[in-house]
Amino acid sequence: MKHFFLFNALLLFFTVSAQNFKQGYFIDKSGNKTECLITTDIINESPDGNLTYRLQDKGTINTIDCYGLSEIAITNVIVYKKYNVKVETSSKRQSELTAYKNLDLVNKDVFLEVMEKGKLTLLGLVDNNNLQFYYLKEGMETPELLDYKEYMGGESKSYILKNEFYKQELLNIMVDAGFSDQDVFKVAYTKNEMVDLFKKYNLVFGGRVEMNTTERKSTSPIKFFIKPRIGFSMISASSLYSDKSAVQNPYSKSEFSSKFVPEIGFEAELKVKNALSFFLVTSYHSVKMNSDQIIYGNFSPIQTIETELKCSSVRFILGIRKYFEIHKNYNIYVNGLGVFEMVSKDSYSKTMPSKFNLNNEIGLGLGLGLQFFKRTFVEVNYEFKRNLTSDYQFLNTPFSTLSLSFMYSLNK
């Protein structure tokens, strides 16, 4: 048990230490600028909630509420500025698209990424993997949203149509550069094409400000998540002499009743893409199970004996996880698991009535889970049978686990 807690402490330390920080700064609402090292997990999604930073390399990790900030930047990577703007809130999922083309707008304070700067500035908001573009002309204080929305249309509302009013808006604000509708209407609502168009516009007037993002491609947006884990496992096991010649009389199979046991653990998740991650789980459980075993003679049972299985183990689970968005606040995900069962020295299978020490074993598993409101997780995992007495040629003790686990991410 002490090794379990020691390993978790080390895992927590290395997970936190492995967070990627780059030189940058933030400015509060009073205009005070703080030079610091900022976590790179803001690269793929506009900052919200708390910002994680260090004042110096290898220094203490701090957090600050983004509510009190007006600007956040990672040097040569990305710049965010806060504005109160209209945000389109309707779902982008096909099953939840509305049947009308008008945008569902609300006013919100959000951080917008500065993507192109000049006479005409392009800004972007990434919220729940949805990208929205804004423009800011010289003399304007508040960015304007470039309208775009997908919705269901047709007689049966079975076709996906697009409200692409942003094209007319772009034509209106770029007419002074001599752009035609052919120049503008071919531009898709994507970052690369929007940045190229705004760059061409600003070059016409010679007022383009070069955005230095030279380190963007080499900066890792990898996210680490730290999750305490608690749950219950239903453990199933049996014991059978696979080689009848190894014993004097044949023995029946010991069928241990399935048993629910509490389980505690810890998970470190490494998110390499928005929908894909790798994770490492350490957990501990202990179970003691009893059953009857019949010894047979030539023609009839001779004796019924009590058998026992005791297993205390630290389990290391290395897995891959794939997320699927079902709602802006909910994701489902599937797990692929590789399980290493490290049993304690006092674990055994008692039959015949000899005691046989259990051995460490590797197995596989699958799981299904639900993530809601970003930080809360519920999942069910099934670990396929593995033989905990594989060191003995004549004894087979298949052991499987069905678990229900609850997790809460300590970081967002």
Side-chain angles (χ1 to χ4, degrees):
M1 188 71 172
K2 65 180 181 180
H3 297 99
F4 168 71
F5 288 111
L6 176 61
F7 182 86
N8 276 295
L10 291 172
L11 184 60
L12 175 62
F13 172 76
F14 285 117
T15 301
V16 173
S17 301
Q19 285 185 283
N20 198 3
F21 290 82
K22 297 283 287 185
Q23 186 64 45
Y25 66 85
F26 59 80
I27 300 175
D28 64 23
K29 290 182 176 180
S30 300
N32 300 313
K33 184 177 182 179
T34 301
E35 301 279 351
C36 59
L37 296 159
I38 294 177
T39 178
T40 58
D41 63 10
I42 66 170
I43 292 177
N44 285 341
E45 190 166 358
S46 300
D48 187 22
N50 291 328
L51 176 70
T52 305
Y53 69 98
R54 281 176 167 157
L55 292 177
Q56 56 186 2
D57 193 23
K58 307 301 181 183
T60 303
I61 295 179
N62 305 297
T63 59
I64 186 171
D65 192 343
C66 289
Y67 176 80
L69 304 181
S70 62
E71 185 172 334
I72 301 170
I74 298 178
T75 306
N76 298 335
V77 176
I78 198 165
V79 177
Y80 287 102
K81 291 189 176 183
K82 180 183 280 186
Y83 296 95
N84 182 271
V85 295
K86 292 179 180 179
V87 177
E88 212 284 300
T89 60
S90 59
S91 175
K92 306 301 184 294
R93 291 187 56 79
Q94 181 175 344
S95 60
E96 298 175 357
L97 293 179
T98 64
Y100 52 90
K101 69 177 183 179
N102 294 333
L103 278 63
D104 296 314
L105 301 174
V106 296
N107 286 320
K108 292 179 66 176
D109 287 325
V110 293
F111 279 97
L112 302 180
E113 178 188 347
V114 182
M115 297 178 173
E116 172 66 21
K117 195 172 182 180
K119 181 179 179 180
L120 194 60
T121 296
L122 175 68
L123 305 112
L125 169 65
V126 182
D127 182 30
N128 290 319
N129 299 326
N130 298 318
L131 185 59
Q132 300 179 44
F133 294 106
Y134 297 78
Y135 71 90
L136 192 63
K137 296 187 70 171
E138 288 181 339
M140 290 175 57
E141 293 186 359
T142 303
E144 290 288 335
L145 175 65
L146 291 166
D147 295 0
Y148 175 82
K149 179 183 176 181
E150 294 182 356
Y151 62 99
M152 303 304 295
E155 292 184 4
S156 60
K157 304 299 181 185
S158 58
Y159 300 100
I160 297 179
L161 302 178
K162 297 178 181 180
N163 175 352
E164 297 182 318
F165 188 65
Y166 75 91
K167 294 181 178 181
Q168 184 61 53
E169 293 173 304
L170 289 173
L171 185 60
N172 293 342
I173 61 178
M174 293 182 171
V175 66
D176 55 347
F179 287 2
S180 66
D181 53 0
Q182 288 84 3
D183 297 321
V184 174
F185 288 1
K186 65 182 180 181
V187 175
Y189 204 78
T190 62
K191 182 176 180 179
N192 288 340
E193 295 199 21
M194 295 291 270
V195 168
D196 286 344
L197 180 66
F198 274 67
K199 186 184 295 184
K200 291 176 183 177
Y201 175 88
N202 287 327
L203 286 172
V204 170
F205 298 95
R208 179 173 181 263
V209 178
E210 185 70 35
M211 295 293 296
N212 189 348
T213 58
T214 54
E215 298 181 21
R216 177 73 176 257
K217 290 184 178 180
S218 62
T219 300
S220 170
I222 288 175
K223 290 185 179 183
F224 288 91
F225 298 92
I226 305 162
K227 305 173 190 173
R229 181 185 183 100
I230 188 170
F232 297 90
S233 294
M234 185 177 72
I235 296 175
S236 302
S238 61
S239 183
L240 175 68
Y241 288 102
S242 55
D243 184 359
K244 296 182 180 180
S245 64
V247 292
Q248 184 176 359
N249 298 98
Y251 283 68
S252 68
K253 184 178 182 180
S254 294
E255 290 284 3
F256 299 103
S257 299
S258 298
K259 199 167 187 178
F260 281 94
V261 296
E263 184 172 3
I264 57 172
F266 174 88
E267 177 181 294
E269 182 180 16
L270 173 66
K271 206 165 188 180
V272 294
K273 293 184 178 180
N274 283 334
L276 184 67
S277 66
F278 298 94
F279 61 93
L280 174 64
V281 175
T282 61
S283 65
Y284 174 84
H285 65 207
S286 181
V287 64
K288 192 173 183 180
M289 311 167 78
N290 298 91
S291 179
D292 289 332
Q293 190 172 44
I294 301 174
I295 305 175
Y296 289 95
N298 292 330
F299 302 103
S300 61
I302 298 176
Q303 183 182 1
T304 299
I305 62 172
E306 184 179 22
T307 59
E308 185 176 85
L309 178 71
K310 180 184 178 183
C311 181
S312 298
S313 65
V314 176
R315 298 157 65 252
F316 300 93
I317 302 174
L318 183 63
I320 185 170
R321 179 173 290 154
K322 174 68 176 176
Y323 289 90
F324 302 90
E325 183 184 0
I326 57 174
H327 184 270
K328 65 179 181 179
N329 291 322
Y330 301 92
N331 293 320
I332 59 172
Y333 59 87
V334 291
N335 295 330
L337 312 173
V339 184
F340 175 65
E341 189 102 22
M342 189 172 73
V343 299
S344 63
K345 292 182 180 179
D346 62 346
S347 296
Y348 59 84
S349 176
K350 183 181 178 183
T351 61
M352 205 172 88
S354 301
K355 278 188 179 181
F356 299 92
N357 293 329
L358 303 184
N359 50 263
N360 301 330
E361 192 64 34
I362 297 175
L364 298 174
L366 294 173
L368 180 68
L370 173 68
Q371 175 193 18
F372 48 99
F373 299 106
K374 292 189 177 181
R375 303 179 76 167
T376 308
F377 299 76
V378 179
E379 67 179 38
V380 176
N381 292 311
Y382 178 73
E383 298 164 21
F384 300 111
K385 291 180 179 180
R386 47 200 182 275
N387 182 14
L388 295 185
T389 52
S390 59
D391 286 351
Y392 304 94
Q393 293 183 357
F394 58 85
L395 187 62
N396 186 20
T397 306
F399 186 93
S400 62
T401 304
L402 178 66
S403 61
L404 173 65
S405 302
F406 303 88
M407 295 177 289
Y408 184 79
S409 178
L410 298 181
N411 55 323
K412 192 174 180 180

